């Protein structure tokens, strides 16, 4: 089977990680994959070895959305005509091109699958939720024209059905992690920092990630020099937060860490992983930390609360995150046996529900279903 994957390779975000991991896994299973992406020179081509690539022109690209040039749809159409894939899988980049894809693929008679990534708060508790609700409302009529749309949780599925997307168009396939690569193991990162207890946040430094709530709680708790908080990632709020929460508070800002093995070493050294988001989809960073056997704390935004339910981690309400963490952080510092147990339960939950292998097996079944449906439709027209 030949799969044309449409997505992006940079800047680093969950969508990029998803595309890299899934396409590499499909290649490993013997599929032919062509990668059509919004190009950028600093992309690391080694992580997509084996793919034929097509660059789609763009004006602007961020971790959240992409603005293609007017020529992008023409380049995409011509490329698909030449490649003649069996199926197109679009990892939607919040781009105007997303809305044209169903028409393009229908014209070329190619089945079209999408993965819809935008974060959400199903309870609409946060100011930022209004923007995300608008995104879902904007996309819903167009998602109905895709052959299938992959989302990450039942909660997200119910949300889209309420907005008018036919339920039969939606497929719940949770994110998955390579549990051989992301696994408990030795790391000297904690000793390098001279820390006895290590707390980690990994993700964008942006409003919806609510990192300031974590920083405020950490500063208030005054856990001492032997406990360190490491912030991995970059984003729009970096410059405004870092001057007020620095090394004098035992906070280490690492910025974006490009090397995957170093990110794994950081997770393996961590005692607690904290994700204080106001909005989420299904965080790959959270799943990676869980797979490494780290005790995890996350809000119930998006599907993250579902991931940690029934004792696999600690679930926070998106309201009053700072006060909740103010209570929890000293407990995590003082009770290593508790964090060790939570880490074991986190790893077990990933093995049970969120492996990359299971994710790809479900994806294979979905592709087969969509292709079979297309063959039935064609035969009925004959």
């Amino acid at each position: 089977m030949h799969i044309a994957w449409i997505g992006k390779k940079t800047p680093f975000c969950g969508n990029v990680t998803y595309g890299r991991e899934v396409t590499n896994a499909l290649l490993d299973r013997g599929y032919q994959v062509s990668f059509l992406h919004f190009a950028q020179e600093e992309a690391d081509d080694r992580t997509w070895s084996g793919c034929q690539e097509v660059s789609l022109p763009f004006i602007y690209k961020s971790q959240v959305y992409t603005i293609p040039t007017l020529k992008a749809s023409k380049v995409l159409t011509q490329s698909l005509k030449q490649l003649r894939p069996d199926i197109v899988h679009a990892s939607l980049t919040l781009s105007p091109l997303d809305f044209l894809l169903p028409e393009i693929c229908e014209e070329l008679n190619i089945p079209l699958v999408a993965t819809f990534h935008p974060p959400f708060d199903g309870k609409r508790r946060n100011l930022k939720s209004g923007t995300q609700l608008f995104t879902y409302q904007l996309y819903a009529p167009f998602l109905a024209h895709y052959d299938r749309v992959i989302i990450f949780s039942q909660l997200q599925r119910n949300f889209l059905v309420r907005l008018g997307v036919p339920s039969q168009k939606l497929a719940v396939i949770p994110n998955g992690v390579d549990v051989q690569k992301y696994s408990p193991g030795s790391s000297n990162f904690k000793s390098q920092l001279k820390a006895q207890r290590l707390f980690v946040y990994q993700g964008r430094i942006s409003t919806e990630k609510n990192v300031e709530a974590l920083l405020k709680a950490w500063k208030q708790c005054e856990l001492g020099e032997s406990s360190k908080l490491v912030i991995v990632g970059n984003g729009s709020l970096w410059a405004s937060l870092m001057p007020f929460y620095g090394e004098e508070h035992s906070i280490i800002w690492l910025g974006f860490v490009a090397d995957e093995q170093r990110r794994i070493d950081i997770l393996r050294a961590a005692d607690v992983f904290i994700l204080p988001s106001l909005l989420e989809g299904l965080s790959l960073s959270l799943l990676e930390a869980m797979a490494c056997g780290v005790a995890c704390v996350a809000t119930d935004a998006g599907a993250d609360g579902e991931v940690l339910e029934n004792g696999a981690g600690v679930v926070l309400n998106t309201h009053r995150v700072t006060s909740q963490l103010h209570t929890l952080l000293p407990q995590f510092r003082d009770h290593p046996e508790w964090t060790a147990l939570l880490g074991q339960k986190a790893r077990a939950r990933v093995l049970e529900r969120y492996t990359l292998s299971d994710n790809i097996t479900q994806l294979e079944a979905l592709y087969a279903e969509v292709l079979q449906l297309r063959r039935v439709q064609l035969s009925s027209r004959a």
Side-chain angles (χ1 to χ4, degrees), residues 65-321:
Y65 62 92
T66 307
I67 303 175
T69 67
L70 294 175
K71 293 182 179 179
S73 62
K74 184 177 181 180
V75 172
L76 174 62
T77 303
Q78 290 176 341
S79 299
L80 290 175
K81 282 182 180 178
Q82 293 171 359
L83 291 169
R84 300 177 64 186
D86 297 298
I87 197 165
V88 172
H89 189 151
S91 185
L92 298 180
T93 58
L94 296 192
S95 153
L97 204 56
D98 299 344
F99 306 119
L100 300 176
L101 272 171
E103 183 179 339
I104 292 170
C105 288
E106 183 63 30
E107 180 184 330
L108 299 175
N109 194 29
I110 305 172
L112 175 61
V113 171
T115 301
F116 190 56
H117 295 270
F120 68 102
D121 175 12
K123 301 180 179 67
R124 304 183 198 175
R125 296 163 296 192
N126 305 298
L127 184 62
K128 192 86 175 175
S129 303
T131 305
Q132 295 303 325
L133 177 60
F134 173 73
T135 301
Y136 274 69
Q137 289 172 327
L138 178 66
Y139 266 80
F142 294 92
L143 295 179
H145 295 293
Y146 283 73
D147 288 284
R148 288 291 186 280
V149 179
I150 296 169
I151 67 275
F152 301 132
S153 72
Q154 191 66 38
L155 184 64
Q156 192 179 12
R157 179 184 182 277
N158 295 341
F159 195 35
L160 284 168
V161 168
R162 289 200 301 271
L163 292 175
V165 181
S167 59
Q168 67 271 21
K169 295 277 188 172
L170 299 170
V172 178
I173 303 180
N175 274 335
V177 178
D178 183 339
V179 293
Q180 303 302 317
K181 185 167 52 176
Y182 287 88
S183 60
S186 61
S187 170
N188 62 2
F189 181 73
K190 188 193 290 189
S191 61
Q192 289 174 1
L193 296 182
K194 299 179 180 178
Q196 292 180 14
R197 302 291 284 166
L198 184 62
F199 299 73
V200 172
Y201 166 83
Q202 179 176 292
R204 292 197 310 276
I205 315 300
S206 57
T207 303
E208 66 270 19
K209 294 296 185 179
N210 201 26
V211 181
E212 190 171 9
L214 166 59
L215 296 170
K216 285 179 178 178
W218 181 271
K219 190 173 179 179
Q220 291 169 7
C221 283
E222 298 182 348
L223 297 182
E225 294 181 0
S226 63
S227 294
K228 307 286 186 183
L229 172 62
V230 171
I231 307 293
V232 182
N234 57 21
S236 58
L237 297 183
W238 167 287
S240 63
L241 292 175
M242 191 171 63
F244 301 99
Y245 304 96
E247 289 194 24
E248 68 275 19
H249 306 294
S250 298
I251 299 172
I252 313 297
W253 295 78
L254 292 186
F256 169 58
V257 177
D259 182 75
E260 185 179 28
Q261 187 55 53
R262 179 160 172 77
R263 294 199 303 272
I264 293 171
D265 288 341
I266 292 168
L267 291 175
R268 286 175 170 173
D271 296 293
V272 182
F273 179 89
I274 304 172
L275 193 62
S277 304
L278 297 173
L279 298 166
E280 277 292 348
L282 172 51
S283 170
L284 270 170
S285 292
L286 174 63
L287 295 179
E288 289 166 355
M290 293 172 69
C292 288
V294 183
C296 289
V297 183
T299 57
D300 59 351
D304 289 353
E306 200 175 290
V307 172
L308 296 178
E309 66 185 0
N310 299 324
V314 177
V315 182
L316 308 178
N317 190 292
T318 57
H319 286 171
R320 302 179 302 280
V321 170

